[in-house]
Amino acid sequence: MQLSVEISKYPLADDYIPAIKDFIERLQSIEDLSVVCNTMSTQVFGDYDLVMNTLNVEIKRSFEQFGKAIFVCKFIGTNLDPALKPHG
């Protein structure tokens, strides 16, 4: 099963950019995940188990490394990666 997730991360710190960049770079380093970033969110596409296992590890690591943060996520059970042109 394929999965699409849109994630917005809001670190509760004055110096928030490093925490966001680190999280995104870690996601981008995972083979077989497609990661698309814009100014509002990060979108992750791939196999359900790979996406969920990766998010489990990386969200926990983010809390441990950078402290408090809010993650807002939306999930849809299909791959809507724009590179695949799912909307024609």
Side-chain angles (χ1 to χ4, degrees):
M1 174 179 187
Q2 293 290 299
L3 184 66
S4 298
V5 183
E6 182 177 63
I7 306 166
S8 296
K9 179 180 179 181
Y10 303 98
L12 299 178
D14 290 336
D15 189 20
Y16 59 90
I17 299 290
I20 295 170
K21 289 178 79 172
D22 181 75
F23 181 71
I24 292 169
E25 288 169 359
R26 289 184 184 280
L27 294 178
Q28 290 172 328
S29 73
I30 305 298
E31 190 173 331
D32 295 327
L33 284 187
S34 176
V35 179
V36 177
C37 300
N38 61 52
T39 57
M40 298 289 293
S41 65
T42 300
Q43 298 170 343
V44 183
F45 309 97
D47 176 76
Y48 180 93
D49 291 328
L50 177 60
V51 172
M52 293 304 288
N53 290 336
T54 299
L55 292 179
N56 183 48
V57 168
E58 296 306 336
I59 289 173
K60 181 179 181 181
R61 184 178 299 191
S62 182
F63 288 139
E64 291 172 344
Q65 184 174 354
F66 293 100
K68 296 177 185 175
I70 297 167
F71 286 87
V72 177
C73 304
K74 294 186 272 184
F75 299 84
I76 185 166
T78 190
N79 190 331
L80 295 177
D81 185 347
L84 301 177
K85 301 182 189 217
H87 303 291

